[in-house]
Amino acid sequence: MTPDEALEKLPEILKRNLDRNLCVCNEVPKLTVINAIAQGADTLEKVRAKTYASDGNGCCARQIDDLLECLAGCDAMDK
């Protein structure tokens, strides 16, 4: 999926603040995480490997899980 397709699948609330850091510890913007998921990072560990998000104290792990769940669920509903 492309990053634009991923954004289209997200509910409005998850499209907010795309340019703000989702991971404050490592200064990783939300859009960077969404792009990593769109490019195939389908687990928290893969997102972490691509972006370093959640590699600090992990406080953003829940938000990343929410994005993963939403995009995976949206893909499953499209099939």
Side-chain angles (χ1 to χ4, degrees):
M1 125 180 42
T2 68
D4 287 337
E5 289 171 334
L7 286 173
E8 286 177 25
K9 292 177 185 245
L10 292 175
E12 276 306 310
I13 195 162
L14 293 180
K15 293 180 187 179
R16 295 180 186 164
N17 304 316
L18 294 174
D19 58 335
R20 289 197 181 156
N21 290 338
L22 181 110
C23 177
V24 178
C25 295
N26 292 320
E27 298 182 1
V28 181
K30 183 188 261 185
L31 190 56
T32 300
V33 172
I34 292 169
N35 287 340
I37 295 169
Q39 295 169 0
D42 56 1
T43 65
L44 176 61
E45 291 76 21
K46 289 179 184 178
V47 170
R48 184 180 300 133
K50 281 189 166 214
T51 67
Y52 298 104
S54 83
D55 202 27
N57 69 16
C59 63
C60 60
R62 176 66 188 179
Q63 293 177 66
I64 295 169
D65 282 337
D66 289 345
L67 288 169
L68 286 164
E69 220 174 282
C70 180
L71 291 172
C74 291
D75 282 345
M77 288 189 294
D78 289 345
K79 292 179 180 176

